[in-house]
Amino acid sequence: MTELNHITDLDKRILDLLQRDASASMADLARQANTSPATCWRRIKALEEAGILGRHVRLVDPASVGRKMDVFCQVRMKAQDAASRAEFKRAMELEPTIVEVYSISGEWDYLLHLLVRDMADFEQILMRRVLEHDSVSGTNTIFALSRVKHVTEVPV
């Protein structure tokens, strides 16, 4: 990863376009960004080398693959030592239905975002992966009634 001195207005246009549709051809990206394909390609390569642009992915609609429930689970730890935190993080990474894990401030220590099939699926993961972990002292669960807003684009 190299450091990019600064993000230009052209870089911002390219980032915005790629976040909306990474499958666009270089010619289309360049046209929409108001630059040449060669310049567009060089800027994308520089953004990749700087670690600003990551890997290419395709987004999957969770409901279309049976993941109809968004669940947020707050976790309180028994201990805050480095070993306990590292082991908890490793355990959470092993569970594919836990799609995001945040270390948070306040009354709780972590916030987990799970995409589950149904209540039974959530209960199994909560009991098997979260509550059985040695360093977890308790949880609080929030069930999303609906997704009001969900974006993947990062403002630039």
Side-chain angles (χ1 to χ4, degrees), residues 16-50:
D16 185 51
L17 291 165
L18 285 172
Q19 288 186 93
R20 282 193 257 133
D21 183 7
S23 68
S25 70
M26 192 60 63
D28 285 341
L29 283 172
R31 181 183 48 74
Q32 292 177 62
N34 198 26
T35 191
S36 72
T39 298
C40 190
W41 182 84
R42 280 194 303 275
R43 295 313 302 159
I44 290 171
K45 290 300 170 196
L47 291 164
E48 289 172 345
E49 289 173 10

Side-chain angles (χ1 to χ4, degrees), residues 1 3 5 11 15 27 29 37 39 41 45 58 86 89 93 100 107 113 115 120 124 131 134 143 147 149-150:
M1 183 182 330
E3 186 173 324
N5 290 337
D11 294 333
L15 289 170
L29 283 172
T39 298
W41 182 84
K45 290 300 170 196
R58 294 295 302 258
K89 290 175 189 176
E93 288 173 0
E100 296 178 289
E107 184 178 338
H113 177 199
L115 290 174
Q124 179 185 19
L131 289 175
D134 290 339
F143 297 97
R147 266 191 189 186
K149 179 180 180 182
H150 176 79

Side-chain angles (χ1 to χ4, degrees), residues 83 85-95:
R85 289 191 320 269
E87 180 54 37
F88 177 77
K89 290 175 189 176
R90 274 193 296 279
M92 297 306 100
E93 288 173 0
L94 292 175
E95 178 53 55

Side-chain angles (χ1 to χ4, degrees), residues 42-125:
R42 280 194 303 275
R43 295 313 302 159
I44 290 171
K45 290 300 170 196
L47 291 164
E48 289 172 345
E49 289 173 10
I52 295 167
L53 278 174
R55 60 192 169 100
H56 301 246
V57 298
R58 294 295 302 258
L59 302 177
V60 175
D61 173 43
S64 69
V65 293
R67 302 288 173 176
K68 296 182 179 188
M69 288 182 66
D70 282 279
V71 181
F72 298 90
C73 183
Q74 297 169 310
V75 177
R76 182 174 294 123
M77 304 290 284
K78 292 177 188 172
Q80 292 294 335
D81 60 276
S84 295
R85 289 191 320 269
E87 180 54 37
F88 177 77
K89 290 175 189 176
R90 274 193 296 279
M92 297 306 100
E93 288 173 0
L94 292 175
E95 178 53 55
T97 59
I98 299 173
V99 296
E100 296 178 289
V101 177
Y102 297 95
S103 174
I104 59 174
S105 64
E107 184 178 338
W108 299 92
D109 300 309
Y110 290 95
L111 177 66
L112 313 179
H113 177 199
L114 298 86
L115 290 174
V116 297
R117 297 181 193 288
D118 53 30
M119 189 66 77
D121 191 24
F122 170 69
E123 180 182 22
Q124 179 185 19
I125 295 158

